[in-house]
Amino acid sequence: MTTTTRTPHTRKAWLRRGAAAVALAAVLGGTAAPAALAAAPPAAPATHAPARGTLTGITRLDTLGRAQVVDALGTLGIDPGTVRYGVTAHRLTYATVDPYGRPTTATGLLVLPRGGPHRLDLVSDTHGTVAYRDDAPSGGAGSNRLLPYLHASAGRAVAAPDYLGLGGGPGRHPYMDTASAVTASADMLRAARTAAARLGRPLTRDVYVTGFSQGGQVAMALGRELQHGRHGLRLRALAPIAGPYDLLGSEIPGIADGRVAPRSAVYYLSYFLTAQNRLHPLYEDPAEVFRAPYARSVEGLFDGSHQDAEIVTTLPGTLRELLTPEWAENVLAPGGALRTALATNDGSCAWRPTAPVRLYAGAADTDVPIANSRACAADLARHGARARVVDQGPDADHFGTAIRSAPQVVRWFDTLARR
């Protein structure tokens, strides 16, 4: 396997960056933002589009033996104790819809074990924040593939969607548009079933759902979609890791009182505002929101062609330096359209899963405070469901929570599969 070389700092950044994504993002809508989408841009001429989830392409990316999987996981210090098989990885291209319901395409990573049962259960693994399109799961080889490899090496197929506008998908990524993240993830499951059958490893109806950071929030919303039964699949378990589920009650207060690290807030908020402005009328001129000199460059930083290091060094270190006074006040005391936007993006835990749920979190997380997971468990309880919060301890930051939790999730899925 050809693996991208990453320093410990950049490896940590890979896992950290998905964190406050949903939190800081879906959180900070803007004073003039309506809850509904802005008018869609002009549609392309009507053409016959394939049905959602139709597989349109398969490209093999990687073939790893068991020892190679163990070595790859070791680059991030992930416990390899559940690794039983080598893996093969493929990029899938498939039909889906954009935030306005219009036909488009997306890509994602399908990973199959090199061994195990002929018919495989399926894991949906949804990723955290990605600004550089090649950092999506089916992009360039590197740590972006390790958690899917971990799950597949235990003997299950893994579908890891890139979301819209990332990997090989066209256009810009509609960051923090949860609805389109769910449709892209659900359609990836359909494409994965077709691809796996063509590759000689048909799938069962059973789906285990996990995801980290932003992907944790997407996982909860995807679980609700799958439980509705429209996709012909059986949701077996939900195991999101460090997701920002409680925007109004936990994440925004964490931003205000310092529990969320300032530089994380700057990164995610900038990404969210510039992406959401293409869907909602948040501002006409970036200078309404961002201070000079950042107003001139901030939109271009999130066009999918800039890596994290460039984005972080171009942006300031605090929200006070980034935002105009009016927008800084919006973060401290959300009201009006901002509060409406927050409420619209809250609620991923406001339902009653019939499958078991475990919420993995860390007490030292300064991207997504553990209060989010505790609030999610309380919300599920109000709807008649039980969920266990797995606290990885007082030294578990956002990165450490993912590293510790992922192998535990695999082992939990193993116990459920044997029932």
Side-chain angles (χ1 to χ4, degrees):
M1 177 185 75
T2 301
T3 302
T4 302
T5 301
R6 300 176 186 241
T7 66
H9 174 75
T10 57
R11 291 173 191 150
K12 183 171 182 177
W14 166 73
L15 285 170
R16 283 178 56 84
R17 69 183 169 220
V22 178
L24 299 167
V27 151
L28 302 167
T31 53
L37 287 177
T47 58
H48 179 70
R52 282 179 49 188
T54 298
L55 179 69
T56 60
I58 308 177
T59 303
R60 177 170 287 199
L61 300 177
D62 271 340
T63 300
L64 285 73
R66 181 183 178 280
Q68 290 175 298
V69 174
V70 170
D71 288 345
L73 296 175
T75 64
L76 283 180
I78 299 173
D79 176 9
T82 60
V83 176
R84 304 181 185 96
Y85 311 105
V87 301
T88 59
H90 300 78
R91 169 184 275 194
L92 306 187
T93 304
Y94 61 96
T96 188
V97 292
D98 70 9
Y100 304 101
R102 301 179 309 202
T104 188
T105 59
T107 56
L109 187 72
L110 171 67
V111 190
L112 301 174
R114 298 176 64 193
H118 178 62
R119 295 183 72 236
L120 300 168
D121 292 347
L122 181 61
V123 173
S124 173
D125 184 9
T126 44
H127 68 77
T129 302
V130 169
Y132 181 55
R133 63 168 52 246
D134 210 34
D135 281 340
S138 81
S143 54
N144 51 327
R145 299 182 188 172
L146 293 187
L147 297 189
Y149 287 178
L150 175 71
H151 284 278
S153 67
R156 284 176 280 274
V158 181
D162 295 334
Y163 308 146
L164 298 181
L166 296 170
R172 288 195 177 195
H173 174 48
Y175 179 56
M176 281 305 307
D177 182 54
T178 304
S180 68
V182 169
T183 57
S185 299
D187 293 344
M188 174 66 184
L189 297 179
R190 295 174 180 173
R193 292 180 62 80
T194 302
R198 290 186 186 177
L199 294 167
R201 303 299 296 275
L203 304 183
T204 72
R205 294 177 54 247
D206 289 350
V207 179
Y208 299 77
V209 177
T210 188
F212 170 58
S213 192
Q214 178 191 359
Q217 189 259 12
V218 174
M220 287 301 301
L222 176 62
R224 179 167 48 192
E225 171 75 8
L226 295 178
Q227 185 165 290
H228 288 161
R230 291 189 291 267
H231 302 277
L233 302 173
R234 182 171 68 156
L235 178 64
R236 289 297 309 274
L238 275 166
I241 302 170
Y245 319 103
D246 183 33
L247 304 178
L248 279 167
S250 300
E251 193 66 30
I252 283 296
I255 293 170
D257 65 21
R259 283 177 292 159
V260 175
R263 193 165 289 278
S264 294
V266 166
Y267 179 96
Y268 297 123
L269 177 58
S270 299
Y271 195 1
F272 171 75
L273 293 177
T274 56
Q276 288 293 307
N277 194 55
R278 299 192 297 273
L279 303 176
H280 303 270
L282 300 183
Y283 58 83
E284 294 183 2
D285 185 330
E288 299 169 26
V289 178
F290 304 102
R291 290 178 181 268
Y294 311 109
R296 293 195 303 270
S297 60
V298 64
E299 291 186 324
L301 289 173
F302 295 97
D303 64 1
S305 68
H306 299 272
Q307 297 187 3
D308 284 353
E310 181 181 357
I311 296 171
V312 170
T313 56
T314 302
L315 294 174
T318 66
L319 290 180
R320 182 176 295 276
E321 296 170 276
L322 176 74
L323 299 175
T324 62
E326 180 184 9
W327 276 79
E329 286 300 316
N330 285 337
V331 176
L332 293 175
L338 171 57
R339 189 173 186 86
T340 300
L342 291 171
T344 299
N345 285 285
D346 258 336
S348 62
C349 301
W351 59 294
R352 184 181 180 182
T354 56
V357 181
R358 288 187 180 179
L359 304 166
Y360 295 79
D365 193 334
T366 58
D367 286 83
V368 180
I370 194 172
N372 282 278
S373 294
R374 292 170 176 156
C376 179
D379 208 0
L380 291 169
R382 284 190 289 271
H383 287 80
R386 296 180 61 185
R388 175 185 169 192
V389 176
V390 182
D391 183 353
Q392 299 294 2
D395 62 336
D397 62 8
H398 199 56
F399 171 78
T401 297
I403 294 300
R404 295 179 190 180
S405 299
Q408 295 174 17
V409 171
V410 174
R411 291 187 173 93
W412 185 48
F413 287 173
D414 282 345
T415 65
L416 295 174
R418 290 194 288 267
R419 294 180 183 175

